[in-house]
Amino acid sequence: MKTVLLAMVALATPALAQTPASRSVQPVTITMTDHGFVPRNIALRRGGSYVLHIANRSDKGHNLTQKAFFAAARLSREDRGVVRDGQIVLAAGERATIRFQAPLTRRGGMFQFSSTTLGDADNAYTGAFRIQ
């Protein structure tokens, strides 16, 4: 009887079969420099789990802005405060870590990001998240 009950519970709750350990969390690193983002193009698997490490190695503040991407990505609860109004803002020398699941948008989709800090537009301070 216990075996039948356990089997029924397992079938009724498929989320139990997919533990966080069974998902592969991929690291992504973006560095803000005096000349732009490094790297500029970030490939992400549709629905994949990631941990974004972002560091500002510049001598001034910058931001990474992409409202649609951050609205569509599933940010971890503890990291939602790092992204405000679709952007991550870092002062000179500051770092941030954000855990997220990539948007479930179509493969081949692209989210261009930029820094909207004064003077960055002149330096082509841009990049893109590309969904594969």
Side-chain angles (χ1 to χ4, degrees), residues 30-95:
I30 298 176
T31 303
M32 297 170 167
T33 71
D34 288 329
H35 305 288
F37 296 107
V38 177
R40 289 184 184 211
N41 291 299
I42 310 294
L44 303 173
R45 277 183 352 271
R46 183 178 176 265
S49 296
Y50 295 90
V51 59
L52 171 63
H53 304 283
I54 185 165
N56 184 353
R57 300 265 188 248
S58 174
D59 60 354
K60 71 174 192 169
H62 297 285
N63 62 55
L64 186 150
T65 302
Q66 205 338 304
K67 291 182 182 189
F69 176 82
F70 289 118
R74 292 181 55 199
L75 302 177
S76 70
R77 183 173 296 145
E78 59 270 18
D79 296 332
R80 288 180 189 156
V82 177
V83 179
R84 291 189 178 98
D85 194 29
Q87 62 182 335
I88 301 167
V89 179
L90 297 179
E94 196 171 19
R95 300 170 181 240

Side-chain angles (χ1 to χ4, degrees), residues 8-23:
M8 289 173 55
V9 169
L11 288 173
T13 55
L16 292 177
Q18 197 177 52
T19 63
S22 68
R23 283 190 191 160

